[in-house]
């Protein structure tokens, strides 16, 4: 919303607070600002995978099912 309102610098600052989320959107804002090298660096960072516990093959009988 900030970028659409012409506040691209603020949009980039908000996205920089959460570097592991929306890296492509963050890179797009950096490109809009002419910060191409920063955008490339953001896109080259390895994506972190969400940590979910491994399923042990057992089903729970505890609510919620």
């Amino acid at each position: 919303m900030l970028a659409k309102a012409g506040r691209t610098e603020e949009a980039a600052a908000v996205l920089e607070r959460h570097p592991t989320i929306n890296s492509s959107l963050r890179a797009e804002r950096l490109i809009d600002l002419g910060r191409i090298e920063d955008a490339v660096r953001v896109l080259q960072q390895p994506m972190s995978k969400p940590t979910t516990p491994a399923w042990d093959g057992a089903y729970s009988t505890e609510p919620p099912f």
Side-chain angles (χ1 to χ4, degrees):
M1 295 174 77
L2 288 169
K4 287 183 180 181
R7 298 164 58 184
T8 308
E9 187 71 40
E10 291 176 67
V14 169
L15 292 168
E16 285 178 9
R17 292 184 205 150
H18 308 282
T20 60
I21 302 172
N22 291 325
S23 59
S24 61
L25 184 58
R26 186 171 157 221
E28 188 177 334
R29 295 299 148 244
L30 291 169
I31 290 169
D32 291 344
L33 293 169
R35 296 169 53 188
I36 308 303
E37 291 176 4
D38 292 335
V40 170
R41 197 172 308 118
V42 165
L43 292 173
Q44 289 178 336
Q45 293 175 355
M47 295 183 70
S48 63
K49 295 182 180 180
T51 56
T52 56
W55 183 55
D56 63 2
Y59 293 98
S60 173
T61 58
E62 299 295 318
F65 298 116

